Amino acid sequence: QLQLQESGPGLVKPSETLSLTCTVSGGSISSSSYYWGWIRQPPGKGLEWIGSIYYSGSTYYNPSLKSRVTISVDTSKNQFSLKLSSVTAADTAVYYCARQTNGWLVPIDYWGQGTLVTVSS
Amino acid sequence: QSALTQPASVSGSPGQSITISCTGTSSDVGSYNLVSWYQQHPGKAPKLMIYEGSKRPSGVSNRFSGSKSGNTASLTISGLQAEDEADYYCCSYAGSSTYVVFGGGTKLTVL
């Protein structure tokens, strides 16, 4: 059974960079059939797709966040990572890592449990 | 503001059917048969319920069905059960520059 687990600091200061890692178990991140992505959900609000990466390193970003987002992959560790720079309180959210279908980035069929990141001084 | 428009809330009694709409544009819902629906219970990760407009993943009850007409997709839940009370989100592929868009979510209350 595929499992995804987010890890990283739960508190980040304003203007700093948020960094999270997703560890994939029960399957290979190098599968040609899937993309791997990040989705976030501010408290009490809806879902927002942040971006996705293919095992080869090809990336796709939400245009509204593109200038601040970097997603990378480490196939040797079966992990992929998110960096979001210059954070503000508006970036406070539960961040989910997920698996997405190759070619179209949807549907999102496996999700991590999510990790709350709070932006505060 | 979300790219796809959903009603904020819907409700129904046990055993009834409800439908949640998801309105997009000709750039997303209307152009691709790639709408998916997710169920989210409080404090939990979303769960895929419908993909490619009307397909159900293995293990999802056949009480859940999806459809599309023009720029609007719909999720129908028949034979409502208490466990169906949750938030529901639609999602669509939106082309090679925007890629993925979500609806704002609909809170389903089972009366």
Side-chain angles (χ1 to χ4, degrees):
Chain A
Q1 176 77 346
L2 188 76
Q3 291 187 316
L4 298 92
Q5 179 67 57
E6 306 89 351
S7 59
L11 181 64
V12 181
K13 290 182 168 55
S15 79
E16 295 190 344
T17 296
L18 177 160
S19 296
L20 295 173
T21 295
C22 181
T23 301
V24 179
S25 58
S28 174
I29 204 169
S30 298
S31 169
S32 60
S33 300
Y34 303 104
Y35 278 85
W36 306 91
W38 292 94
I39 297 100
R40 70 180 182 178
Q41 185 173 35
K45 297 188 178 181
L47 301 167
E48 179 180 36
W49 174 71
I50 300 170
S52 304
I53 192 165
Y54 194 52
Y55 76 96
S56 63
S58 298
T59 52
Y60 303 82
Y61 296 136
N62 184 325
S64 68
L65 297 170
K66 185 174 183 177
S67 64
R68 299 194 292 131
V69 174
T70 302
I71 297 176
S72 58
V73 64
D74 186 338
T75 55
S76 68
K77 295 182 178 179
N78 229 31
Q79 295 177 334
F80 62 105
S81 298
L82 168 70
K83 290 189 185 299
L84 180 65
S85 64
S86 305
V87 297
T88 70
D91 294 309
T92 293
V94 174
Y95 285 76
Y96 295 99
C97 62
R99 189 179 82 170
Q100 300 168 258
T101 301
N102 184 21
W104 302 107
L105 302 179
V106 291
I108 305 163
D109 60 355
Y110 280 92
W111 299 66
Q113 65 184 24
T115 188
L116 174 64
V117 179
T118 301
V119 178
S120 175
S121 55
Chain B
Q1 185 160 348
S2 301
L4 305 180
T5 300
Q6 299 180 232
S9 62
V10 298
S11 62
S13 299
Q16 290 185 332
S17 295
I18 63 94
T19 297
I20 300 172
S21 62
C22 170
T23 301
T25 70
S26 58
S27 296
D28 39 63
V29 174
S31 286
Y32 308 96
N33 196 26
L34 291 169
V35 173
S36 46
W37 290 89
Y38 303 86
Q39 176 192 65
Q40 186 179 37
H41 287 109
K44 301 294 186 182
K47 174 186 175 184
L48 177 64
M49 305 302 286
I50 296 287
Y51 67 100
E52 292 179 10
S54 60
K55 297 179 180 178
R56 280 189 310 275
S58 175
V60 172
S61 171
N62 60 9
R63 297 186 298 105
F64 291 82
S65 61
S67 63
K68 190 187 87 167
S69 177
N71 295 337
T72 298
S74 297
L75 172 70
T76 298
I77 309 173
S78 59
L80 269 180
Q81 299 179 359
E83 67 207 50
D84 300 332
E85 185 163 293
D87 293 326
Y88 291 84
Y89 293 91
C90 63
C91 176
S92 178
Y93 180 72
S96 58
S97 57
T98 305
Y99 300 113
V100 179
V101 290
F102 281 97
T106 298
K107 181 175 181 58
L108 168 62
T109 300
V110 180
L111 302 171

